[in-house]
Amino acid sequence: QVQLVESGGGLVQAGGSLRLSCAASGRTFSSYPMGWFRQAPGKEREFVAAISWMGRSTRYADVVKGRFTISRDNAKNTVYLQMNSLKPEDTAVYYCAAGRPYNDLLLTTRSADYWGQGTQVTVSS
């Protein structure tokens, strides 16, 4: 069982930056592929970024590539999402998710076994 708690969301102007954190419980965090997803009002939850369980591989949605960076610190049981050059269309609730241990990159919502409660990111124009 893994519990995930996101933090770091807030209100920021367009062009600004935020860093989201996702703290995980459990002693086997390093075995889980992790991902960030987001859901805007009236839209489906969508993939944002993923990182492999060893942290050697990452993948990004095209709309955030070059602006967002996912990373993890297995010693701290934490995964991060650094978001730069934010745009109003990045406004959404951002969710951290964990896939099955030792699986491939977490790229779809149906592949996630655990979810955090979400953190709101609002980007004003």
Side-chain angles (χ1 to χ4, degrees):
Q1 188 76 9
V2 176
Q3 290 186 324
L4 305 172
V5 179
E6 302 98 334
S7 61
L11 174 64
V12 64
Q13 289 188 332
S17 299
L18 283 175
R19 188 176 83 154
L20 305 183
S21 299
C22 173
S25 65
R27 294 176 292 178
T28 58
F29 171 76
S30 60
S31 67
Y32 288 89
M34 300 296 296
W36 287 95
F37 295 78
R38 68 187 184 185
Q39 188 167 17
K43 295 187 177 181
E44 292 187 352
R45 194 170 297 187
E46 64 177 5
F47 167 74
V48 175
I51 188 165
S52 61
W53 54 275
M54 290 190 70
R56 292 177 179 174
S57 298
T58 58
R59 189 83 58 85
Y60 298 92
D62 287 344
V63 292
V64 306
K65 201 172 294 183
R67 300 188 296 122
F68 290 10
T69 302
I70 188 171
S71 61
R72 66 189 298 161
D73 185 338
N74 286 342
K76 295 183 178 180
N77 280 17
T78 302
V79 63
Y80 304 97
L81 185 67
Q82 177 67 44
M83 305 186 295
N84 298 328
S85 302
L86 282 161
K87 304 175 181 179
E89 50 265 43
D90 294 318
T91 296
V93 177
Y94 283 70
Y95 297 90
C96 172
R100 204 155 295 182
Y102 306 114
N103 262 20
D104 292 335
L105 286 170
L106 180 57
L107 303 179
T108 63
T109 56
R110 68 178 62 185
S111 298
D113 281 355
Y114 304 100
W115 292 94
Q117 83 287 352
T119 185
Q120 176 71 46
V121 171
T122 303
V123 184
S124 63
S125 57

